[in-house]
Amino acid sequence: STKRAHRLLIQAAVDSGERGAASFRAWRESVRLTDVDYPSQKMLSAVGHHLGHDEVSQQVLKVARFTWLRSQLLLHAGLRAAAALQAEGIPTAWIKGGAVLAWTSTEISKRPMDDVDLLVPLEEVTEATECLNRAGFFSLADRELLECPELITRNVHAIAFRDSQGAEVDLHWQLLKGDRDEVSEHALWSRSKTATLLGQKIVAISVEDLLVQVIATNREGSDAYWVVDALRLIEDNKVDFAEVLAIARERRLGRMSSIALAIISSFRPGGIPARHRAPAIITRFVDRLHSAVFGNIVMRNVSELVTLGVPRSFH
């Protein structure tokens, strides 16, 4: 969602100048903290550079402090888990929030995390489970993953493991939920690179794969933080947008990714090359026009009558 409150917070998060400050003031004046929705809550820790001495700012500052503490705990648990996996020769790549921190200059206090996400090849799931157990991480699905992993891996894309302190490390064998494309998964590993996180060398998926994953997190339309992550990746890296779109098409996310680039360019027009920005804007315009026209139930029935010959009942 990019409704007004979300757009104001996104702008405040990624712009430390006057425009960002004005966006934060506009957001602060238009909401009550008791009414802040979940996507906005996630973004509060990212606007610390605009905080003043008012009551709302002081509450937001508490969110940022908690984010820093929580993320430190999670990242150190993730580093321990990844080190254990790699010591056993299991290919391991950081994805999602941890990878965003590795590929950008984002302060830890400005990137909320509920868990750490690590990716291993599908064929390594059983060994990875044993390795994590030895390192002090356990899952409710340990037994199934060890005895009949195919029952788990064919139905879900990741399983949560926790250590004695409650830090959650999610073990993934697919980058994207519901995407079982083995060719895409194999190519992903060839693009993974060495990065740095908390001063330690790690392996993370490429910026291009990560940008596609960030965009895909909003498939249900329930989040807005993906825009902040995407803007940070684009600002701090030389992104190959042709490769981003190629990866998205392989994963059947071409249209969605094009629309996402248009949304990103609405915040940073110069962040997307013109040759990719123009088609993206057109795609988004057509998508919004289609939604406006065929979002109406009568028009949906007319559309189905014309295209399928089997109209739905009118309600």
Side-chain angles (χ1 to χ4, degrees):
S1 174
T2 52
K3 63 183 183 181
R4 182 172 183 270
H6 294 168
R7 291 190 64 88
L8 289 173
L9 280 177
I10 291 168
Q11 189 65 53
V14 300
D15 190 332
S16 59
E18 178 52 36
R19 184 181 178 189
S23 295
F24 180 65
R25 287 195 298 270
W27 174 83
R28 188 181 60 200
E29 292 166 2
S30 64
V31 301
R32 293 184 302 175
L33 283 183
T34 54
D35 298 330
V36 175
D37 62 12
Y38 180 65
S40 297
Q41 291 173 31
K42 286 184 66 176
M43 288 187 283
L44 287 181
S45 61
V47 299
H49 42 275
H50 296 305
L51 300 182
H53 299 288
D54 57 282
E55 182 179 355
V56 172
S57 291
Q58 293 307 303
Q59 292 300 318
V60 174
L61 183 59
K62 292 178 183 178
V63 173
R65 288 170 177 163
F66 175 79
T67 296
W68 181 88
L69 182 61
R70 176 65 175 164
S71 294
Q72 286 279 350
L73 173 68
L74 290 169
L75 290 171
H76 280 94
L79 288 168
R80 184 160 54 87
L85 291 167
Q86 291 172 326
E88 294 292 330
I90 300 172
T92 307
W94 287 68
I95 61 177
K96 299 179 74 172
V100 170
L101 288 172
W103 285 128
T104 68
S105 58
T106 306
E107 297 173 28
I108 292 176
S109 64
K110 294 184 178 182
R111 182 47 173 89
M113 301 175 68
D114 297 318
D115 51 53
V116 163
D117 300 273
L118 301 176
L119 179 72
V120 301
L122 175 61
E123 62 272 16
E124 301 282 0
V125 169
T126 299
E127 289 189 26
T129 299
E130 294 175 337
C131 179
L132 288 175
N133 285 171
R134 290 192 295 271
F137 294 88
F138 300 93
S139 168
L140 294 176
D142 283 343
R143 181 175 178 180
E144 291 79 2
L145 285 170
L146 291 172
E147 296 181 358
C148 45
E150 66 280 356
L151 292 179
I152 299 290
T153 57
R154 109 173 136 239
N155 293 304
V156 297
H157 70 296
I159 287 291
F161 285 75
R162 288 181 174 83
D163 67 7
S164 59
Q165 292 181 297
E168 181 176 325
V169 175
D170 288 356
L171 183 69
H172 292 246
W173 44 88
Q174 293 169 224
L175 181 66
L176 304 178
K177 181 180 179 181
D179 188 346
R180 302 182 62 84
D181 188 336
E182 294 182 7
V183 175
S184 296
E185 293 297 311
H186 179 73
L188 172 152
W189 286 101
S190 67
R191 291 188 294 265
S192 296
K193 296 179 174 67
T194 301
T196 302
L197 183 61
L198 293 183
Q200 297 189 37
K201 294 293 183 183
I202 66 165
V203 174
I205 59 174
S206 72
V207 171
E208 288 75 19
D209 281 298
L210 182 55
L211 187 54
V212 171
Q213 184 183 41
V214 164
I215 290 168
T217 61
N218 195 44
R219 279 181 291 191
E220 289 80 23
S222 59
D223 201 359
Y225 200 92
W226 73 269
V227 184
V228 179
D229 278 344
L231 286 166
R232 287 168 171 164
L233 286 169
I234 289 170
E235 290 174 355
D236 288 354
N237 297 276
K238 186 177 181 180
V239 179
D240 184 338
F241 287 97
E243 184 167 51
V244 168
L245 293 171
I247 293 169
R249 285 191 293 270
E250 286 178 4
R251 294 185 177 276
R252 297 173 293 281
L253 291 171
R255 176 173 159 275
M256 180 180 186
S257 294
S258 188
I259 293 171
L261 292 186
I263 293 172
I264 293 167
S265 68
S266 71
F267 290 94
R268 286 287 187 277
I272 312 293
R275 66 181 180 279
H276 299 301
R277 184 170 66 249
I281 292 172
I282 292 172
T283 300
R284 187 187 185 202
F285 172 77
V286 172
D287 181 77
R288 295 175 78 172
L289 180 63
H290 183 275
S291 296
V293 173
F294 294 105
N296 177 281
I297 193 166
V298 174
M299 290 305 297
R300 287 203 303 270
N301 278 279
V302 171
S303 174
E304 291 186 3
L305 176 64
V306 171
T307 59
L308 302 177
V310 185
R312 295 186 300 188
S313 299
F314 286 87
H315 298 285

